[in-house]
Amino acid sequence: MGIYLAVYNVFQLIGWLTIVSLVIFYAPFTLEVYSVPIIRLTVIIFQNLMGLEILHSLLRLTPSPLATTFMQVGGRICFVWGCMELEPKAAAATPLLLAWSSAEVIRYSHYLFASLGTPTPKFMLWLRYSAFIVLCPMGIFSEILWWYAAFPIIEKCCPRVYSIEMPNAYNFAFDYLIMLKISLPLTYIIGFPYIYKYMLTQRTRKIKED
């Protein structure tokens, strides 16, 4: 499994390095960098591929807690398909993708060393457990701005997207927009502090170990 994880981490590292490079290249020309086809496609590929990390955690291939991994990875995939793909033209794309890709380049670099059984360099270890202090709030704030800009557009152009209407064989109805109105405040009010506290705890423990 060490070889599999090393290959996975190399592939993701290359992918997110590509994304951060493309965003930096296109940012001077447009605020809506996610609407650039090559950026959009690359984000979709590597963000969806990240879903394997939930399986890695479930099968104990990695030490990451399942609940935290599911919240972080599942939340990001849902954000891509539930917001970014429905409204790709958002000015918040640049800071969001810079925060995401910078964090992933650091994370997968650290994971690569671990999967190869090689000690992580001290500067990389410090970045792994310190950069999130800035990048995490930057990403969350950008997500909130994107939702705020996208929601009225989604509501107007595709109000029934991802929804299930009655009648149907299962006698079940689901309204995606209503779900968002209820769940989004809870997600950011409850989910963000939980994940941020977990990462701060990890930082304290790792720095003491080092």
Side-chain angles (χ1 to χ4, degrees):
M1 284 301 174
I3 295 176
Y4 161 72
L5 289 175
V7 171
Y8 172 81
N9 291 327
V10 167
F11 193 64
Q12 284 282 31
L13 177 58
I14 292 172
W16 289 100
L17 272 171
T18 301
I19 292 168
V20 72
S21 301
L22 288 170
V23 171
I24 291 171
F25 177 78
Y26 280 101
F29 304 104
T30 176
L31 292 174
E32 302 168 356
V33 292
Y34 189 69
S35 62
V36 177
I38 185 61
I39 294 179
R40 190 171 177 177
L41 177 62
T42 311
V43 171
I44 289 173
I45 291 171
F46 288 95
Q47 185 57 69
N48 286 343
L49 186 65
M50 200 183 289
L52 287 172
E53 293 178 29
I54 299 173
L55 185 62
H56 296 168
S57 179
L58 181 64
L59 297 177
R60 303 294 178 88
L61 300 181
T62 60
S64 303
L66 180 59
T68 304
T69 302
F70 183 81
M71 287 179 64
Q72 291 177 310
V73 175
R76 285 261 294 266
I77 292 174
C78 288
F79 185 80
V80 168
W81 289 105
C83 179
M84 294 168 69
E85 278 300 291
L86 295 178
E87 175 45 43
K89 296 181 179 180
T94 298
L96 176 65
L97 293 180
L98 284 176
W100 280 10
S101 54
S102 298
E104 300 309 340
V105 167
I106 295 168
R107 189 166 71 95
Y108 286 113
S109 297
H110 171 69
Y111 285 172
L112 179 58
F113 282 108
S115 62
L116 294 173
T118 305
T120 304
K122 286 185 179 293
F123 80 93
M124 182 60 65
L125 195 66
W126 183 86
L127 279 176
R128 170 71 179 98
Y129 292 101
S130 300
F132 79 89
I133 294 173
V134 173
L135 295 177
C136 188
M138 177 178 168
I140 292 294
F141 185 64
S142 299
E143 287 180 26
I144 292 172
L145 288 179
W146 201 322
W147 276 119
Y148 182 77
F151 195 88
I153 297 172
I154 297 171
E155 194 171 30
K156 182 178 180 179
C157 74
C158 41
R160 306 311 303 162
V161 66
Y162 302 142
S163 298
I164 301 173
E165 297 182 337
M166 296 277 283
N168 57 64
Y170 300 99
N171 198 32
F172 172 78
F174 172 75
D175 191 300
Y176 177 66
L177 292 179
I178 291 177
M179 184 275 294
L180 286 181
K181 291 177 181 179
I182 296 172
S183 66
L184 279 179
L186 295 177
T187 299
Y188 289 106
I189 292 172
I190 297 175
F192 172 64
Y194 171 80
I195 291 175
Y196 201 69
K197 182 180 178 182
Y198 167 77
M199 296 170 73
L200 286 173
T201 301
Q202 286 287 93
R203 181 179 188 274
T204 301
R205 182 171 64 84
K206 291 293 182 179
I207 289 178
K208 282 183 179 179
E209 289 177 357
D210 187 53

